[in-house]
Amino acid sequence: KGHILTDNLRVRKRPEKRSDVVDKLMSGQQVKVTEKLMVSDKMWFRIVTPTGRQGWVDFRYVKLDRSF
């Protein structure tokens, strides 16, 4: 699990900057991190949002509650 570190964080359908946005999260919201992936020298976390949606976010905007 982790917490979002910025407001209006875009949750993307795929781990790509130009991928469709499936949700937006606010600072402090808790998410479940289910996977991590390196794509073109950039780390992405696959998450489950508080509403149950799944998607990908830039790892820099998630503070993990414990090591992943």
Side-chain angles (χ1 to χ4, degrees), residues 12-68:
R12 303 206 178 261
K13 189 173 185 177
R14 290 181 302 281
E16 304 166 357
K17 189 175 181 180
R18 295 178 187 234
S19 180
D20 293 341
V21 175
V22 297
D23 205 348
K24 286 187 181 179
L25 299 174
M26 301 303 284
S27 182
Q29 284 188 282
Q30 187 174 37
V31 295
K32 180 179 179 184
V33 178
T34 60
E35 187 178 345
K36 62 181 178 179
L37 183 67
M38 282 292 285
V39 178
S40 301
D41 295 329
K42 186 173 180 180
M43 180 73 74
W44 292 83
F45 284 160
R46 184 173 188 168
I47 62 162
V48 179
T49 70
T51 59
R53 288 196 168 140
Q54 294 188 37
W56 296 87
V57 295
D58 186 319
F59 85 104
R60 295 175 294 175
Y61 302 109
V62 180
K63 181 180 188 302
L64 295 178
D65 293 345
R66 53 183 163 75
S67 63
F68 179 67

